[in-house]
Amino acid sequence: MYLHPCMANSTDRNTAFLNETCSNFTIPGIDYMMKSVKDTMRITSMISYSIIALSVLGNSTIIGIVLRNKSMRTKANVLIVNMAVSDLLATFFALPRSLYVAITKSPEWESTSALAEASCKLVPFAREVSCAVSIFSIVAIALDRFYAIVIPLAQKPRLLKHKFVIPGIWVAAIAANALYLYAFQVKFLQHTAITVCFELLSNQQRRIFDTFRFVSFIAVPLIAIICLYSAVVLTMARRPALASTTRRRRQNQKIVQLAVTITVVFFISWVPYYISLLLFVFDKLNPYFLSPYSALILIVLEKAFEILTYAGFAINPIICLIFSSNFRKHIYFV
């Protein structure tokens, strides 16, 4: 398989790009492709600034609305706040590093200090924990709607109560991604003479771990959510619309619309990232074994998929304000 010499400098597969030293590598058309990559990094920096601002403003607003208004502390809204908290944490920990890489066009870490080591571990850990917290919260909202609409007379499991489900979500999310705290460390690479955040897992370990995360955070939750909301929609369609229940029916429809929209946006944000991840670790789409041009295109796509996951940190507050008149009504009092 062909290994492009410039790709030897690409050490972070999630923020893969060509190092500046590759700009002197001359093959027909490489200058144009290098310019495309640099343009992509400039665009990435602008998008990152926007996402940070929107995420901080939007998620803080959602948290403030629910905390300041008792009428807004419904089960679904509390779980949305749970997602907002995780998105804020990921914004503070993960996005600044991505912004730094986009601005400097270099994956190099300035030192091997304890702070650099901690940042190296927390950047990927925070993003993946946010993903897990979001999907587990989305599943919890779907379960809440299922019990409220499909089997309203049945007693809900105690685990769905806030005092159990929210700590349970965080414990599960942290436990599922704890390997990140071991797998990454700051390391000086002799052959490139730069210090990078290096992943210690072998390719086989990476395959097992990424497959586990795809199944746990994407495949199984997606199947469960489709089943739950299919039952909810069918029940609402078949149930006769009585005058005494019209208002309640409309409330349920709005909540379901909001929840389904958040779910769809989540999967749009994360599925391309996880699929590219699996294709990479199973050597189906590995830039190390592609021609220079194909590798450069893949680098741009990987960066786009990464930014898409970050965009998910900022989009939920916008969805809430679009689909919920209650959130819009209370925004002026935050």
Side-chain angles (χ1 to χ4, degrees), residues 113-131:
S113 65
L115 180 60
E117 187 77 23
S119 299
C120 171
K121 295 176 183 295
L122 287 175
V123 166
F125 177 73
R127 184 177 64 176
E128 300 302 329
V129 166
S130 177
C131 169

Side-chain angles (χ1 to χ4, degrees), residues 270-325:
W270 284 94
V271 168
Y273 166 77
Y274 270 105
I275 290 177
S276 66
L277 212 59
L278 290 176
L279 290 173
F280 181 95
V281 296
F282 283 97
D283 292 329
K284 303 298 183 182
L285 200 65
N286 193 328
Y288 291 92
F289 305 124
L290 296 175
S291 67
Y293 300 110
S294 298
L296 284 165
I297 293 171
L298 181 58
I299 287 166
V300 173
L301 287 176
E302 284 183 345
K303 179 54 64 176
F305 293 155
E306 181 186 356
I307 290 298
L308 196 58
T309 66
Y310 291 141
F313 301 156
I315 197 68
N316 283 346
I318 298 173
I319 295 172
C320 290
L321 293 174
I322 291 174
F323 283 86
S324 175
S325 58

Side-chain angles (χ1 to χ4, degrees), residues 98-112:
S98 179
L99 181 59
Y100 174 84
V101 171
I103 292 173
T104 63
K105 305 179 183 67
S106 170
E108 185 170 5
W109 291 67
E110 296 301 324
S111 70
T112 57

Side-chain angles (χ1 to χ4, degrees), residues 218-263:
I218 300 296
V220 172
L222 180 59
I223 293 170
I225 289 166
I226 289 173
C227 292
L228 290 169
Y229 280 125
S230 294
V232 167
V233 171
L234 287 173
T235 300
M236 292 175 66
R238 292 173 179 174
R239 189 169 291 167
L242 303 176
S244 58
T245 61
T246 298
R247 182 180 177 184
R248 186 62 174 166
R249 184 186 183 91
R250 288 177 180 171
Q251 288 178 338
N252 283 331
Q253 287 176 339
K254 290 180 179 179
I255 294 172
V256 170
Q257 286 175 354
L258 173 61
V260 169
T261 303
I262 290 174
T263 302

Side-chain angles (χ1 to χ4, degrees), residues 173-227:
I174 291 171
N177 292 285
L179 186 60
Y180 275 107
L181 299 177
Y182 159 79
F184 285 87
Q185 72 174 32
V186 175
K187 184 176 180 180
F188 179 77
L189 299 181
Q190 296 287 347
H191 66 286
T192 56
I194 63 172
T195 302
V196 297
C197 183
F198 193 80
E199 186 175 339
L200 300 176
L201 297 181
S202 67
N203 201 40
Q204 184 61 29
Q205 291 171 329
R206 183 80 254 181
R207 288 174 179 176
I208 294 171
F209 185 48
D210 285 346
T211 300
F212 161 75
R213 291 193 301 128
F214 178 80
V215 171
S216 301
F217 304 153
I218 300 296
V220 172
L222 180 59
I223 293 170
I225 289 166
I226 289 173
C227 292

